[in-house]
């Protein structure tokens, strides 16, 4: 086991995720490349800097460093990565703090206990004194490992995973007066971060991602401005958005995130921007797009269910509050 070196390891882990993505079947328990990019280049800087904070906010750098420092990385005797344990939300106040993510190699189930043990020590939420992990119902190896280690399944929480196969897609239709633009055509980060904040139901500008956070996202190795799609309203405001990510090695596309400004919902904008994105991904060579979301939008577009993830929690004694 080694500590993670951001300069050396970000792209090595990305390559590991591509290499192992389909090794466990579908739904795939390892992260896709979009989530790896998004966690480092958007979630972490956004958790550390919101609103109009100018320049390079120290909170964003702290959050990125915390995310990187918590990663555990396992290599074999020839120096190849065989496992990663990581978090997604480097902020002890966030409800996702304490969640364990494991990126595994199919030839090394023997590492599971060591990876879980590392994660329990390092990722534990000190307030609630617990860790938690989502496990696919079909992933019996991980399910048995967490059950043996004293995790309890919460029967009330399940995340349905869906996917769509990219053939015979309907054409996207935008309502009259609306148009589609990409960040390659108009790189207006201020309007873009406002749309992100509003789409995710944050009316207060102090809660929108900072310009720094959005610029960080644009620095992610797999981000492309021409894949950052925005629907523009007749009055010029940004109404809906969707970012496309493409794993050419596995011919899998991803949509992350998708959102519509509350003033423009239920007019078909998300459906149109998602369909536009699916066509674009198909043109790149993608054959399918998975989605871990309960939003009825995806069912309406034609995504079908491929499995459920269940919540398993391990508590370590009395909670501090
Ligand atoms: C989910 C979201 C993107 C939908 O955007 P939208 O532009 O309003 O969606 P559309 O108008 O294109 O909806 C297309 C279809 O999806 C379904 N749908 C969309 N929103 C729905 C809702 N709130 N309840 C039930 N069905 C819904 C409907 O079938 C709808 O067709 P209809 O209006 O003809 O019934 C938007 O509500 C949003 O931004 N929510 C917050 C962010 C989020 O949850 N993003 C998605 C997960 S990453």
């Amino acid at each position: 086991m080694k500590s993670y070196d951001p300069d050396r390891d970000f792209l090595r882990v990305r390559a590991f995720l591509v290499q192992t993505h389909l090794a466990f079947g579908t739904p795939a328990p390892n992260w896709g490349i979009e989530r790896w990019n998004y966690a480092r280049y958007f979630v972490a800087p956004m958790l550390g800097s919101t609103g109009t904070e100018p320049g390079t906010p120290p909170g964003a750098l702290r959050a990125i460093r915390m995310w990187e420092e918590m990663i555990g990385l396992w290599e074999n005797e020839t120096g190849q990565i065989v496992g990663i344990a990581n978090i997604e939300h480097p902020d002890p106040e966030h409800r996702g703090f304490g969640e364990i993510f494991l990126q595994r190699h199919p030839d090394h189930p023997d590492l599971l206990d060591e990876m879980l043990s590392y994660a329990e020590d390092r990722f534990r939420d000190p307030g609630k004194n617990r860790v938690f992990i989502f496990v696919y119902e079909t992933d019996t190896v991980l399910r048995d490992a967490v059950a043996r280690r004293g995790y309890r399944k919460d029967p009330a929480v399940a995340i349905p995973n869906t996917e769509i196969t990219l053939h015979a897609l309907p054409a996207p239709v935008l309502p009259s007066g609306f148009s589609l633009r990409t960040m390659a055509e108009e790189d207006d980060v201020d309007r873009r971060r406002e749309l992100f904040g509003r789409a995710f139901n944050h009316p207060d500008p102090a809660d929108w991602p900072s310009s720094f956070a959005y610029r960080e996202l644009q620095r992610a190795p797999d981000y492309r401005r021409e894949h950052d799609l925005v629907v523009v309203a007749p009055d010029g405001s940004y109404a809906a958005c969707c970012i496309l990510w493409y794993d050419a090695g596995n011919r899998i596309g991803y949509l992350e995130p998708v959102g519509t400004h509350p003033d423009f919902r239920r007019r078909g904008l998300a459906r149109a921007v998602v369909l536009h994105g699916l066509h674009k991904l198909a043109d790149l060579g993608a054959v399918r797009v998975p989605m871990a979301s309960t939003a009825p939008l995806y069912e309406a577009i034609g995504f079908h269910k491929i499995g459920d993830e269940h919540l398993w929690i391990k508590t370590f004694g009395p909670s501090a509050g």
Side-chain angles (χ1 to χ4, degrees):
M1 200 224 133
K2 314 185 111 175
S3 55
Y4 170 85
D5 173 353
D7 293 335
R8 192 193 56 157
D9 293 329
F10 185 87
L11 291 176
R12 291 179 71 227
V13 173
R14 180 198 179 281
F16 172 80
L17 295 175
V18 172
Q19 183 207 338
T20 54
H21 194 69
L22 295 175
F24 298 89
T26 52
N30 284 359
W31 275 12
I33 57 157
E34 94 296 357
R35 204 161 178 182
W36 182 243
N37 277 265
Y38 203 71
R40 156 61 184 83
Y41 286 92
F42 195 50
V43 178
M46 179 173 55
L47 288 176
S49 70
T50 48
T52 51
E53 206 172 0
T56 303
L61 299 183
R62 268 198 304 278
I64 293 167
R65 205 173 312 123
M66 179 178 183
W67 182 78
E68 291 169 342
E69 284 175 0
M70 287 173 83
I71 294 171
L73 187 147
W74 284 260
E75 289 181 355
N76 65 12
E77 57 287 349
T78 62
Q80 283 169 325
I81 296 177
V82 287
I84 295 112
N86 63 285
I87 64 164
E88 189 170 40
H89 297 100
D91 172 3
E93 303 301 317
H94 193 279
R95 65 189 161 80
F97 196 74
E99 181 166 8
I100 298 173
F101 295 95
L102 302 181
Q103 320 300 338
R104 292 136 62 195
H105 192 290
D107 295 344
H108 292 282
D110 47 305
L111 283 177
L112 254 188
D113 265 307
E114 193 177 319
M115 292 168 79
L116 283 165
S117 169
Y118 168 89
E120 288 160 17
D121 285 348
R122 297 291 306 271
F123 304 170
R124 186 184 305 190
D125 177 339
K128 300 194 174 101
N129 221 352
R130 63 162 201 187
V131 289
F132 62 99
I133 186 166
F134 281 91
V135 181
Y136 286 106
E137 56 199 347
T138 47
D139 191 351
T140 50
V141 173
L142 181 57
R143 188 200 59 204
D144 292 350
V146 297
R148 254 195 331 268
R149 297 182 67 85
Y151 291 65
R152 293 275 162 77
K153 182 173 165 181
D154 180 343
V157 184
I159 302 179
N161 278 254
T162 63
E163 75 169 30
I164 190 165
T165 313
L166 301 185
H167 63 82
L169 293 168
V173 182
L174 277 172
S176 152
F178 289 81
S179 59
L180 194 109
R181 226 169 272 171
T182 75
M183 290 297 278
E185 295 161 306
E186 181 176 69
D187 193 31
D188 189 336
V189 163
D190 269 333
R191 280 203 289 169
R192 188 65 181 82
R193 66 188 191 82
E194 172 177 356
L195 173 61
F196 182 93
R198 294 302 313 265
F200 284 87
N201 303 316
H202 298 294
D204 185 350
D207 296 330
W208 301 345
S210 66
S211 308
F212 175 82
Y214 211 85
R215 289 283 181 215
E216 274 298 282
L217 171 64
Q218 294 187 312
R219 284 196 330 111
D222 289 292
Y223 172 91
R224 304 281 178 271
R225 280 180 173 73
E226 64 270 27
H227 293 167
D228 191 342
L229 313 179
V230 180
V231 175
V232 184
D235 66 0
S237 59
Y238 285 5
C241 56
C242 167
I243 303 180
L244 316 176
W245 305 84
Y246 182 47
D247 170 356
N250 292 304
R251 304 187 65 187
I252 299 177
Y254 299 96
L255 313 169
E256 175 70 359
V258 175
T260 299
H261 190 296
D263 293 351
F264 296 102
R265 287 190 184 153
R266 299 309 284 268
R267 298 198 211 173
L269 299 187
R271 186 202 297 266
V273 75
V274 164
L275 281 173
H276 191 89
L278 295 177
H279 278 280
K280 222 165 171 163
L281 287 166
D283 291 346
L284 290 171
V287 289
R288 58 196 189 85
V289 172
M291 174 63 63
S293 168
T294 53
L297 166 71
Y298 298 111
E299 201 187 327
I301 290 173
F303 284 77
H304 62 273
K305 191 162 161 183
I306 53 171
D308 278 325
E309 280 178 290
H310 294 283
L311 173 62
W312 289 74
I313 303 171
K314 182 169 182 173
T315 309
F316 298 91
S319 157

